[in-house]
Each structure stands twice: as structure tokens, then as C-alpha cells.
Amino acid sequence: MAPAFLAIDEVAKSFAGVSAVDGVTLAIERGEIFALLGPSGCGKSTLLRMIAGFEAPDAGRIVLDGEDLGPLPPYRRPVNMMFQSYALFPHMTVAGNIAFGLKQEGLPAPAIGRRVAEMLRLVRLEGLAERRPHQLSGGQRQRVALARALAKRPKLVLLDEPLAALDRKLREETQFELLAIHRRLGTTFVIVTHDQDEAMTLAHRLAVMDRGRVVQVGPPREVYEHPATRFVATFIGTANLLDGRVTDAAGGVMRVESAAAAAELSVLHDGAVPPGAAVSVAVRPEKLRLGNGMENTLTGEVEELAFRGDATLCRVRLSSGVPVTLSLPNRERTGAFLPRPGERTRLGFAAADAVLLTS
Amino acid sequence: MTSARRLGPFNLAALAAGFALLYLPILALAVYSFNDGRMVAVWSGWSLRWYRSLIDNRLMLDSARVTLAAGAVSATLALVAGTAAALVLARAGRFLGRSAFAGLVYVPLVMPEVIIGISLLLLFVQLDLDRGFPTLVVAHASFSAAFVTVVVHSRLVTVDRSIEEAALDLGSPPAKTFFLVTVPMIAPAMAAAWLLAFTLSLDDLVIASFATGPGATTLPMRVYSQVRLGVTPEINAISTLFIAAVAGVVALASLVNKGLLFGRK
Amino acid sequence: MSGAGRRLLIAAAAAWLAFVVLAPFLIVLKISFAEVMQGRPPFTPLFAWAEGALLPSLRASLANYALLLSDSLYLDSYLSSLRLAALATLSALVIGLPMAHAMARAPQRWRPALLVFAVLPFWSSSLIRVYAWIGILNDDGPFNALLLWLGVIARPLAILNTDIGIVSGLVYSYLPFMVLPLYASLERIDPALLEAASDLGCRPAGAFFKITLPLALPGIIAGCLLVFIPAVGEFVVPDLMGGSDTLMIGKTLWTEFFNNRDWPLASAASVLLILLLVGPIVVLERQGSKRAEERS
């Protein structure tokens, strides 16, 4: 197998004896948008700072395009970063900020001018070259920071929570803009984020991190629909976890006796799980449906309804006492199809729509 | 994360050299105050004889009393005046002459001491006031009030105004709100400001020389007239006591202002 | 705040300032136009009521100013004060900048203690600190002893009673005034800016000049003015450390006032000194209010 474009190999880092990154190995391909996703303190930012060169790994290697980055200080790495705070130089203009890295390269002035103009066009800030950062809106600052990180045409661009400081509406627009810019340049992006929506919209592949380790790597759909652990299932999207024990495994269908569901559940599962093993059956709220006739049927009492516009969240307390959440798409405008709080109801899901989790 | 970074050798050297420059002379002064010999530069063994001879020095003791009293009274006066000025700057909004007001508040911070001294002396002469303890107190209050204003104002602007507005909303009149709500929140800054005004008064030589009169000679004035005659171990002793006292007061003030003593919340 | 209480507070605070700050300066200004005479007070009144006249006659004299501007003693005092203060300011900047920079880059938990120790000397009597400094620089003091021991010099250097002695005394007295604003502006610089510079290919030394120094400029200006302004009018240092031929305006004023008892001349000299310092003070004030605006 050919070595990856960015190979992170058994990298570890601890601060004052506390492990921040604990033996991370990742292979990131040329031209891909790769997201490091996890809760705060999971080590994703430390990993990013090690790729940029601001922290030195205690162990392991980081190799970019065949070159070991280890001995290179940050200012010699073909890697540029867009900082979470943007870190725009307040005493320089927009153009000055974008030109800063090019001047360090010793590029002749006309070439710098051309590149700066090109970058301003790319991020649609043509008229603002002479503004100072404090004269810009949050969205404009974000784009200056992006332009500055792209200006040197680095092999790798690191984006630290690129959209976190923007409000929701602007964030959605900017996501698509970022994708368009990436398609035009084809540069490899590594994004750090704690926001699963951001990671799933932007990334071709993502790595979910927890307590310094990578828990799962894959395309967004795969990670969402086939979470490897309870942590991934609940951190990415929401999941109803129904705990139980495996009673029988035959023909790829697991039978799970679940006290939480007050029922025996069947779940499609590929791997082998010994009978008696403690497992969780994870079901996404949109995979749960009201009514009879599904492979798994449960009963419960409707407690609360929360209108969300496109869907209504419905909280049902199962007869076992365990609450579950359903997401009911609002296909009709009247809402007459919705149950009422206090109503007893049947609900269920298909064996193919649930995931069996052993850890 | 960045706090994990260590200081490089260049930075460490800069710190060491800077603080050595600031403190070694004072340290040397303190060490030689315990020297037994009359010659300051020749070490002849540890002794407390210069401290003992201070105790018998009536003039020095009288001056110490004057200095402490002037410090306490002027600091209190400065606290009232300086806090009022800080309140005006932080809470009174716009009014005619506000920028002139702000200018006057901070003038004593930057004026050379000699000029403050001359101008206050001429004021007292013009008003036909005999110079002595009262004029000394007013003179010290006039410049230390500016420091009080700086300290109290910087605290006032960080106080959330909605807390005061909540008190007004709940029916407390403005004056009562000030004493029941605002003062408790700025109390640490006021305590620190008082202590700092106190030390400013203790330290001052130049303004006191102009503003005071016979019978109210301060300790720095006594020390000054002795220093002019040359370096003696007795001055080392009194300077050491003085610095120890001031360092104690300042340490107290910074503890108070950080909320470590009276609690801020 | 509104209504009568607010007006009362403003009036009271303004009255205090008018009494202890404004009035004294106006009186200095007035007396600077008077003439010296024997008596109490030892100067002529500015207004005189002639017998039967309706309005007082003004008896302002520009003689004091004329004397100040023609007498080389005063001109030299002003010029050498400016020169020595400028030298001291520059030296304090050269010494204070690395120190403040190191303080601002020190680990977070050290910084409060470093700050307290940098400010502490400011609160101890400047007289005593000058006295301590004299003890160091004395012919038989530790500084000369060190140089002799190192073999750098054969005989003790006479540093006291020279201009170098005065400059060193001013630096020693006012170093905290330089370090404090420098530290404040250096500490406010987001470390991410230096990381960004490094990320974009800039070496640490380059980043210091391209990022750190420009961003610390307000602190540098404030620190220089905070040292320069009081150093120009300094009395204790030139009095105790200067020779009989060193002239600084603070010392000259003092002598004029106490020894010669020429109050009108001393007042005129004060007015000129204030005029000399108005420029720097206004710049300092601008810096301060600009920073206050940025903070709010």
C-alpha cells in the first residue's frame, strides 16, 4: 500500500503527566477534507497543533508527502493554519495580513500583489483590501483568515473550529463556500471541530476522538449509520440506547433480550457476539416509528411533544420506564397525525435500522 | 495549552538582571543596617546597635508620629475625594466640562512633584494659612486622591451596572443603592486605594517640604537632611524599617484588591 | 444616576479639584507676573487699587520670563534636564523592554508575583531608593569593588556627581514606570498572533520586530512618557547624586524657592516647565483614553 499523503503514526503527547493525545494513527489522502471531531479536551486541537509544529510529539511521527515534519519548526513547514480566533494581525490591513506569509517567502512584490488579489477574489473580499481587521464583520474576518492560510499554497491547510465563531445562518452559507473553495483549489484540508453538523457537512471522512484516542474513522454516513461504540452513537446525532443481553445469533440476526425495551429485539449484525454478552441496541429517533407491524414493537406512554419545524420530537416513556425519543417528520401541515401527551402508544423499528453495540 | 511553554535562557536572564537591578541595592542597604561598624562600606560583624540608637532618637520618633498621622488622615480625605471623582467619571454620564474635569483629576499623576509643591505652597500663602500639619494633610490628599480615582475607577467600570439597576428597579433610591450595593462591590478597591494613598504620603519628601511648617517635620524630611550629610548606618537602619513597613502595606493592599482578604464576590 | 444627587456629586468633586489642582496653578501663573519684594508674602500684588480709582490697575511684569529666557543658568537647566531625562528614558527602555517581555511570556501562574515585585519599588520611598543606589555607586561601594576585583579598573570610578550618575539614578528610580505599561501592552498580545506569524514562515526574531514591537507601541510610548515627564522635573536625584555643576530644573527651582526666596521667578520657571511638558502630557493622555476606548 502506498504511504498516505499525511501519515500520523502512533503520535502521543502529554502535558504535565496528563495524556492529551494517546497513540493516534491516521492516514489522510491528498485532496481530501478530513475532520477531527470530538468533545472539548479530546486531544483534537493538540493533534492539530502538533501537525502545525506548535507542540512537539512525545512519541510517534508525522510525515507529510514523504517528508518527516518532526525536525521542522512551524515556520519551515509547508502547512498553514486558520486559527480559531483567526489571529489576524491587528496592525496590518487585510492585504497586509494575506501578504505576510508571501513576504516571508521572499516573493517579489508584483507576484505578491497578484496572489493577494487572487486570494481576495477567491474569498470575495475584493473591495476590502485596505481595511483593518477591527473594521470587518465576523464573517469577513473569517474569510481573511482563510485567505491568509491559503495564500502560500501550502500542501496542507489546518482549520481550527473554522465556523465556530459565526452565527447559525452565516455558518450554513460559509460551509458551502468552503466546499466550493476546496473544489477549486484541491488542497488537503484538516478540520478540527466539536460540531458534528459541521464535520458531517464538510468532511469527506472524519475521525471521532475521545480522551486522546481515535474511536472511529470513516465517511460521515458510515459513522452516523454504523457507529462503532456507544460514545460515537450518542456523540454524533442522538441515539436511543436499549440495553440487553444476546440470547441467540443465527443467520446474521441477533436476538437481544432487553429489559429496557421490555421486549426481545432482533437486530441485523455482521460480527459474532457470544450469547449472554451485554450489548446495547442503538436506534436513531428518525428510525423509530409509531404504530404496529414492525419487526420490533414496543409500548409506552407519550410524555412530551416538541415542534421543530421539519419534524416533531416525541418523547415516549416505555413500559419499562426508560424514555426514548422519536423524530416524526411533519408531512402534513395540520399535525393531526401526532399523538397527544398521556396517550398510550405502540412504536417500533426495523431490524435493519438498529445497530448492535458491544462497547 | 500555551502556558505549558517554558521561558528561554534569554528571557530568564532578562528577568534575573532586571530584578537584581531593582532589588540588590535595597538588599545591600538592609544588610549594612546590621553592620556593627560606623563605616558603611566596611563589614565589622552583625549588630542591632543602629536600631537601638534609633529608639533613643526623639526627633526621629516625633517625625515618625507626624508621618503616620498625616498618612492616615490624608489617605482618608483622599479616599473620599478620589472616590467621588471616580463616581463622577464612571457614573455621571456627560456633563458640561467633563473632559476638563477628567484632565484635572489626572494632572497630579504626571506633574513633577516640585511644581505640585510650589503651587500648593503658594495657594496656602495666598489664603494666608499657616503651614503645618493641616496644610501637609491637604497637600498629600490632593495628589494621592488622583491615585485613588485611578484604582476605584478601574474597579467601578468592571462592576455590572445592571446590579445597581436591579436595586433601583426593586425600589431602592439612588443614595441608598450606592451605599448598599455599589460600595460593597468596590470595597476591596477602596481599601487598596486607601492603603496606597497612605504609602504615597509616607514616602513623600518634595511636596511635604513645601507644604509643611515648623513642628510638623516628616520622616522623609529628616532622612533627607541626614542623607545630605553622607551615608551613615543609622540611615540604613531607618530606611530598612521604612521599606519593610511600606512593603507590608503594599502586600496587604494587593491582597485586599485581589479579594483574598475581604472577598470580592 | 440622575437629578439632584448627581449634580451635587459633580459639584462637590469639581469644587475639590478646583481648590487643590486648578487654583494652585492659577496662583502660580499669577505670581509669575509679580515682582519679588521683602515682606509677607514676598512678592508684589498683581492688582493695585489707586486712591479713588474705580478699577484696579494691573501690574503684570514680564521681567521674570525675560530673565529666564536670557539667563544661561535657567536655559542650561532646562536643556540639561531634557537631555538627561531623554537619556534616562532611552536607557530605561533598553533595560525595561527585555524584562517586561520576559514577564509577559512567563507562565501564567508566575505573572502576578512578577508584577507585584516589579511595582513594589515604586511604592517604597524614592528618597530611600536613591540613597540605596548611592550606596552601590560610592567610591568604596560594591559596584566599584566588583570592577576592581574583576581588574576592569585600577582606581575607583567617580560615578557620583557626574551626568552618568544622574542618568543611572533616574533609570533606577523610574524603571518600574517603564516596565509596567510595557508589560501591560505585551501581555495583551494574543500568543496566537505569534503562532500565526511562525505558521506563515516568520522566524521568532522577525516576529518580534514585525508583530510584537508594533503591537506594543502604545505601551512603549506610555512608558517613555511616564519616565520622561517626572524625570525632567526630578529633584532628589540631581540634588543627592549630581555634582555642584550639574543643573536640572527641579533642583534649580528648589534652590530659587528656598534659598533665594525669589517666588515670582520660581513661579515663572514652573510655568515654563509646565509648558515644556504639556506636549508629552497631552500625548500620554491621548494614549490612555484610546486604550480605555478599546477596552470598552
Side-chain angles (χ1 to χ4, degrees):
Chain A
M1 200 179 89
F5 179 63
L6 175 67
I8 298 169
D9 186 18
E10 285 298 322
V11 164
K13 174 78 182 175
S14 55
F15 294 106
V18 180
S19 176
V21 172
D22 187 9
V24 165
T25 298
L26 287 170
I28 293 164
E29 299 308 325
R30 190 189 297 270
E32 110 177 292
I33 301 183
F34 191 91
L36 296 168
L37 176 64
S40 66
C42 72
K44 58 189 191 299
S45 293
T46 305
L47 187 58
L48 197 75
R49 293 172 58 81
M50 286 193 282
I51 301 172
F54 301 133
E55 311 284 353
D58 298 337
R61 291 199 329 151
I62 300 173
V63 178
L64 176 65
D65 202 10
E67 183 182 22
D68 186 353
L69 293 182
L72 298 180
Y75 51 88
R76 304 249 312 269
R77 296 188 181 200
V79 173
N80 286 133
M81 176 148 154
M82 184 183 144
F83 289 74
Q84 181 175 5
S85 63
Y86 307 147
L88 298 179
F89 304 128
H91 57 302
M92 297 181 194
T93 61
V94 167
N97 267 281
I98 298 174
F100 186 88
L102 302 169
K103 284 184 186 153
Q104 307 308 313
E105 270 181 350
L107 226 59
I112 292 179
R114 277 196 302 277
R115 185 83 65 84
V116 169
E118 179 193 327
M119 286 299 139
L120 286 170
R121 247 190 335 273
L122 184 71
V123 297
R124 300 192 293 110
L125 287 177
E126 286 97 333
L128 303 181
E130 295 310 313
R131 294 272 184 93
R132 295 289 174 96
H134 68 90
Q135 297 169 309
L136 301 177
S137 71
Q140 290 168 334
R141 279 181 217 173
Q142 191 258 6
R143 286 186 273 164
V144 177
L146 181 64
R148 189 177 71 177
L150 293 171
K152 292 180 81 172
R153 300 203 175 123
K155 288 181 175 174
L156 179 65
V157 177
L158 308 173
L159 301 100
D160 190 358
E161 305 272 5
L163 308 177
L166 306 179
D167 58 46
R168 199 175 59 86
K169 202 89 186 160
L170 196 55
R171 189 155 56 213
E172 278 168 14
E173 279 169 34
T174 312
Q175 282 175 351
F176 289 111
E177 230 171 275
L178 208 55
L179 287 171
I181 287 173
H182 177 265
R183 199 165 43 246
R184 278 182 59 186
L185 300 178
T187 316
T188 312
F189 281 12
V190 174
I191 295 178
V192 152
T193 178
H194 69 278
D195 180 344
Q196 38 143 340
D197 289 334
E198 192 174 315
M200 287 200 284
T201 336
L202 290 174
H204 301 140
R205 287 195 305 147
L206 52 87
V208 182
M209 290 185 69
D210 181 32
R211 281 170 289 176
R213 291 174 168 278
V214 171
V215 193
Q216 189 173 5
V217 183
R221 174 178 288 273
E222 184 187 306
V223 174
Y224 183 81
E225 300 291 6
H226 300 278
T229 67
R230 293 183 183 94
F231 171 78
V232 176
T234 50
F235 183 72
I236 304 207
T238 37
N240 298 299
L241 296 182
L242 301 169
D243 295 340
R245 282 184 187 283
V246 174
T247 53
D248 183 33
V253 178
M254 295 281 171
R255 307 287 296 166
V256 176
E257 181 62 52
S258 169
E264 192 181 44
L265 305 172
S266 33
V267 185
L268 288 188
H269 189 73
D270 285 339
V273 183
V279 297
S280 295
V281 175
V283 196
R284 300 279 184 201
E286 74 276 10
K287 309 283 193 302
L288 275 174
R289 271 171 268 184
L290 292 175
N292 281 316
M294 281 158 285
E295 285 147 295
N296 297 293
T297 304
L298 317 169
T299 57
E301 185 184 314
V302 176
E303 283 192 330
E304 305 287 348
L305 294 172
F307 181 67
R308 282 288 198 83
D310 56 342
T312 299
L313 294 184
C314 174
R315 197 167 171 82
V316 173
R317 190 166 293 277
L318 299 179
S319 45
S320 66
V322 173
V324 294
T325 305
L326 295 81
S327 173
L328 307 171
N330 289 329
R331 291 214 186 78
E332 297 159 26
R333 293 171 67 187
T334 59
F337 66 94
L338 291 168
R340 263 178 283 277
E343 216 172 88
R344 290 204 59 84
T345 183
R346 285 177 177 275
L347 61 158
F349 57 95
D353 285 341
V355 181
L356 190 80
L357 301 173
T358 54
S359 62
Chain B
M1 249 164 244
T2 44
S3 65
R5 197 182 310 153
R6 296 256 177 91
L7 279 180
F10 177 78
N11 282 331
L12 277 179
L15 278 186
F19 282 105
L21 176 68
L22 285 179
Y23 284 95
L24 280 185
I26 294 174
L27 202 66
L29 176 146
V31 168
Y32 276 101
S33 73
F34 296 102
N35 188 3
D36 191 43
R38 174 148 286 283
M39 295 289 291
V40 170
V42 183
W43 185 255
S44 39
W46 295 93
S47 155
L48 288 174
R49 63 181 277 208
W50 304 112
Y51 289 89
R52 274 197 294 275
S53 81
L54 272 185
I55 298 172
D56 301 328
N57 191 331
R58 284 227 67 84
L59 284 178
M60 284 286 182
L61 287 181
D62 283 347
S63 295
R65 260 196 297 279
V66 168
T67 307
L68 289 174
V73 180
S74 72
T76 308
L77 186 57
L79 182 67
V80 175
T83 304
L87 271 174
V88 169
L89 287 178
R91 291 289 189 267
R94 297 181 172 279
F95 58 91
L96 190 67
R98 188 183 188 282
S99 50
F101 184 95
L104 283 181
V105 165
Y106 295 118
V107 156
L109 295 178
V110 290
M111 254 324 129
E113 289 174 320
V114 176
I115 290 182
I116 296 180
I118 289 181
S119 66
L120 286 168
L121 184 150
L122 294 178
L123 172 76
F124 299 141
V125 168
Q126 199 71 47
L127 297 174
D128 217 9
L129 294 171
D130 280 330
R131 279 175 288 147
F133 187 81
T135 52
L136 175 65
V137 164
V138 171
H140 278 173
S142 79
F143 77 94
S144 54
F147 287 81
V148 172
T149 304
V150 170
V151 173
V152 174
H153 181 256
S154 68
R155 176 80 188 115
L156 263 178
V157 294
T158 66
V159 166
D160 186 355
R161 283 198 80 164
S162 58
I163 297 175
E164 289 165 18
E165 285 165 355
L168 294 171
D169 181 61
L170 294 169
S172 158
K176 204 170 168 190
T177 301
F178 173 70
F179 286 106
L180 289 183
V181 177
T182 312
V183 167
M185 286 191 292
I186 63 172
M190 287 173 70
W194 188 93
L195 290 168
L196 298 181
F198 181 68
T199 58
L200 282 169
S201 171
L202 293 196
D203 288 344
D204 171 63
L205 162 70
V206 174
I207 293 169
S209 302
F210 284 97
T212 193
T217 305
T218 66
L219 207 49
M221 291 168 68
R222 285 253 187 265
V223 171
Y224 169 71
S225 57
Q226 291 214 13
V227 169
R228 292 200 57 133
L229 302 176
V231 175
T232 70
E234 197 168 9
I235 308 177
N236 282 33
I238 193 159
S239 299
T240 305
L241 287 179
F242 206 86
I243 285 179
V246 168
V249 173
V250 172
L252 191 67
S254 55
L255 285 181
V256 168
N257 203 19
K258 287 216 180 68
L260 295 177
L261 280 193
F262 293 155
R264 174 163 279 186
K265 292 273 158 63
Chain C
M1 215 191 297
S2 62
R6 169 177 176 271
R7 277 196 296 275
L8 189 70
L9 181 70
I10 295 175
W16 162 261
L17 289 175
F19 175 62
V20 301
V21 183
L22 188 58
F25 285 111
L26 293 179
I27 291 168
V28 168
L29 190 63
K30 188 196 92 172
I31 293 174
S32 73
F33 294 109
E35 280 164 31
V36 69
M37 71 173 200
Q38 289 293 326
R40 188 189 151 99
F43 50 83
T44 57
L46 200 56
F47 299 103
W49 271 270
E51 199 77 30
L54 209 60
L55 289 169
S57 61
L58 186 64
R59 284 175 47 191
S61 151
L62 290 171
N64 297 315
Y65 290 97
L67 180 64
L68 286 178
L69 294 175
S70 59
D71 190 329
S72 68
L73 172 77
Y74 289 98
L75 284 180
D76 289 350
S77 294
Y78 283 118
L79 288 178
S80 91
S81 290
L82 291 177
R83 189 172 56 86
L84 295 176
L87 269 175
T89 304
L90 209 61
S91 316
L93 179 62
V94 170
I95 297 170
L97 190 56
M99 190 179 166
H101 182 257
M103 283 169 62
R105 291 284 155 264
Q108 196 92 49
R109 61 186 193 291
W110 294 10
R111 286 186 213 161
L114 290 174
L115 196 59
V116 168
F117 279 108
V119 185
L120 200 54
F122 165 72
W123 296 111
S124 69
S125 159
S126 69
L127 170 65
I128 289 173
R129 279 186 298 135
V130 170
Y131 173 71
W133 191 238
I134 291 173
I136 294 288
L137 295 185
N138 250 336
D139 287 0
D140 51 2
F143 184 69
N144 269 313
L146 179 73
L147 291 186
L148 286 169
W149 181 74
L150 288 173
V152 182
I153 50 170
R155 268 182 305 139
L157 286 177
I159 303 165
L160 294 177
N161 306 333
T162 65
D163 281 1
I164 293 178
I166 291 185
V167 169
S168 77
L170 290 174
V171 170
Y172 184 63
S173 294
Y174 292 111
L175 189 58
F177 284 44
M178 179 64 83
V179 171
L180 211 61
L182 283 180
Y183 168 80
S185 62
L186 287 169
E187 207 254 353
R188 273 164 21 117
I189 298 176
D190 182 358
L193 292 179
L194 295 173
E195 288 183 349
S198 180
D199 184 68
L200 293 165
C202 192
R203 291 162 169 282
F208 179 79
F209 288 104
K210 286 177 189 136
I211 309 294
T212 308
L213 222 48
L215 290 178
L217 200 60
I220 292 174
I221 293 173
C224 285
L225 293 173
L226 282 176
V227 172
F228 181 77
I229 293 168
V232 170
E234 173 67 21
F235 165 72
V236 174
V237 169
D239 187 58
L240 294 180
M241 300 185 69
S244 50
D245 55 342
T246 30
L247 293 171
M248 278 189 80
I249 190 64
K251 186 183 166 190
T252 311
L253 269 177
W254 180 289
T255 313
E256 205 57 63
F257 206 90
F258 283 121
N259 302 3
N260 306 345
R261 284 187 66 83
D262 190 340
W263 292 7
L265 189 61
S267 297
S270 302
V271 171
L272 280 190
L273 178 54
I274 293 171
L275 288 179
L276 216 53
L277 294 178
V278 158
I281 288 174
V282 168
V283 175
L284 183 65
E285 164 72 29
R286 287 273 158 77
Q287 287 286 333
S289 54
K290 212 193 290 174
R291 203 178 303 171
E293 251 167 54
E294 275 168 25
R295 226 178 287 139
S296 62

